[in-house]
Amino acid sequence: MIDDLTLLTFESETAAAITGAASASALRDVEHAALGRDSRLVAARKQLGSLDPEQRRTVGKVLNDVRERLTAAVAARHDELARSERTAQLAAERLDLTEVPDSVVVGHAHVVTQTWELLEDIFVGLGFQVAEGPEVETDWHNFDALNIPADHPARDGFDTIYVNHGSPGSTLLRTHTSPVQIRAMLAQKPPIYVIAPGRVYRRDTADATHMPVFHQIEGLVIDRGISLADLAGTIEAFTEAYFGTGFSSRLRPNYFPFTEPSAEFDIQRPDGSWLELGGCGMVHPNVLRAGGVDPEEWSGFAFGFGIDRLALMKFGVDDLRELYANDVRLLTQF
Ligand code: DAH
């Protein structure tokens, strides 16, 4: 092993084996056989002792150089294999994201969400901002501030769900979106042009026309010199934008504690039939005061109506429960 020719053959054969190793484990075997404890190279080092000092130094250096070159070749091959293994793995795991296969079913927003968003779009287009309030509300925001004091008969009509928090009766699930009127007035100075869509709750048994959880949208305008004509004009503009040309609106006198005068508004379809949509009116001075707004300087109107029934109209079915039955055969159509 120690003579030049044998060493040269050993080095070139080992170098070829290193280059030819096709995997990390094959490379480890080559390395072990050529450079490991039982290798011929180590055996050759052990024979150095039998040489005279001059020769020992020369041959020792040659053996060292060979070991270093082979060790470097192993490291280089190791890097090469690691790199190609990584490339192969990346190629194997590559996902083609340029195409959605036909078999993937892509969902869409629920018809109530679609209606809610369309209403927002329309009112934002008319210059309104979207306001929000909590679904767990104080009885003050939901009732008192809206001119419905504790002994007011209108409270009974709301079938309120109370929450066990604070003193009894002080916390509830909002029965309408009207408390957002109060929150909007307390949060910003007039002029105010806001709508507030959201979820509301009432102690109702689900039937074709009632759900214990449903959706309303509230509108509130506070500015100088706002009159009933502004209210009627806004309802009419909304009607045309939402339902389309051929639809019109009318106001019918009604009573709500938080507005004076108050009205119900109806939509007339092109065939002449009427759809009762919601309530509206001029904001009551007591409500303005509760919101920190001076009734001598500012006036305003408010309106509110249900979102669910509008969504239901797309179904051509007359039962609110269909909206929440989660029957995909129905939901996928809208
Ligand atoms: N909050 C009323 C309800 O839930 C609806 C309503 C009526 C809202 C008149 C208003 C309004 O803003 O002016 O039945």
Side-chain angles (χ1 to χ4, degrees):
M1 173 69 184
I2 261 172
D3 67 86
D4 284 357
L5 200 63
T6 320
L7 204 53
L8 206 67
T9 318
F10 169 76
E11 184 175 359
S12 68
E13 279 173 7
T14 306
I18 288 169
T19 318
S23 69
S25 78
L27 180 63
R28 228 174 299 125
D29 290 346
V30 174
E31 181 184 17
H32 182 74
L35 304 166
R37 219 182 308 141
D38 301 323
S39 65
R40 287 161 69 201
L41 206 60
V42 169
R45 288 193 69 87
K46 284 182 184 151
Q47 290 171 28
L48 287 176
S50 60
L51 302 175
D52 64 60
E54 181 67 17
Q55 259 190 320
R56 195 189 303 159
R57 217 170 316 144
T58 320
V59 177
K61 179 164 179 358
V62 170
L63 287 177
N64 259 348
D65 290 350
V66 168
R67 194 172 52 85
E68 265 172 31
R69 282 195 294 272
L70 290 176
T71 305
V74 166
R77 181 63 184 151
H78 186 268
D79 285 355
E80 227 171 73
L81 284 172
R83 225 172 306 128
S84 65
E85 269 170 33
R86 173 118 184 95
T87 309
Q89 187 184 5
L90 284 178
E93 291 176 357
R94 188 185 139 85
L95 296 177
D96 183 357
L97 302 178
T98 58
E99 239 180 83
V100 179
D102 292 342
S103 59
V104 173
V105 179
V106 181
H108 61 73
H110 188 273
V111 65
V112 170
T113 309
Q114 291 177 37
T115 307
W116 171 325
E117 287 174 351
L118 177 58
L119 290 169
E120 279 187 3
D121 283 352
I122 287 171
F123 281 110
V124 166
L126 291 174
F128 286 75
Q129 292 186 326
V130 180
E132 280 181 46
E135 291 173 18
V136 180
E137 194 43 290
T138 69
D139 67 333
W140 185 80
H141 288 90
N142 195 85
F143 291 129
D144 301 76
L146 288 165
N147 200 33
I148 315 174
D151 53 2
H152 198 286
R155 285 213 184 190
D156 303 336
F158 275 110
D159 296 311
T160 310
I161 298 171
Y162 286 92
V163 172
N164 191 1
H165 176 84
S167 60
S170 65
T171 312
L172 45 80
L173 298 183
R174 66 179 181 193
T175 58
H176 51 175
T177 44
S178 301
V180 186
Q181 290 186 30
I182 305 300
R183 292 188 174 273
M185 285 189 275
L186 292 175
Q188 64 188 101
K189 291 202 180 327
I192 297 171
Y193 290 78
V194 293
I195 50 150
R199 211 179 272 151
V200 300
Y201 303 80
R202 288 186 197 174
R203 198 156 27 80
D204 260 327
T205 307
D207 64 27
T209 54
H210 297 86
M211 290 297 281
V213 183
F214 58 105
H215 303 83
Q216 288 187 335
I217 183 166
E218 194 79 13
L220 175 69
V221 167
I222 310 278
D223 208 336
R224 289 193 171 85
I226 293 293
S227 72
L228 202 64
D230 298 305
L231 169 58
T234 303
I235 298 286
E236 185 67 18
F238 156 73
T239 302
E240 279 194 27
Y242 185 88
F243 295 95
T245 44
F247 287 79
S248 59
S249 63
R250 74 172 174 202
L251 304 189
R252 255 183 313 118
N254 203 329
Y255 170 77
F256 294 105
F258 26 89
T259 41
E260 180 57 37
S262 302
E264 195 100 47
F265 66 95
D266 307 327
I267 310 300
Q268 189 171 34
R269 303 186 183 90
D271 68 4
S273 63
W274 292 94
L275 165 75
E276 286 182 20
L277 200 59
C280 60
M282 301 306 292
V283 181
H284 195 288
N286 287 351
V287 175
L288 292 173
R289 274 189 286 269
V293 172
D294 180 2
E296 300 298 327
E297 188 180 354
W298 305 95
S299 58
F301 66 77
F303 58 85
F305 56 92
I307 295 178
D308 306 72
R309 204 146 51 92
L310 286 183
L312 199 60
M313 283 165 58
K314 298 198 197 197
F315 278 135
V317 189
D318 243 1
D319 192 325
L320 275 178
R321 290 167 295 189
E322 297 289 354
L323 286 179
Y324 303 103
N326 286 335
D327 185 332
V328 288
R329 289 168 303 179
L330 206 71
L331 293 180
T332 50
Q333 294 179 47
F334 302 93

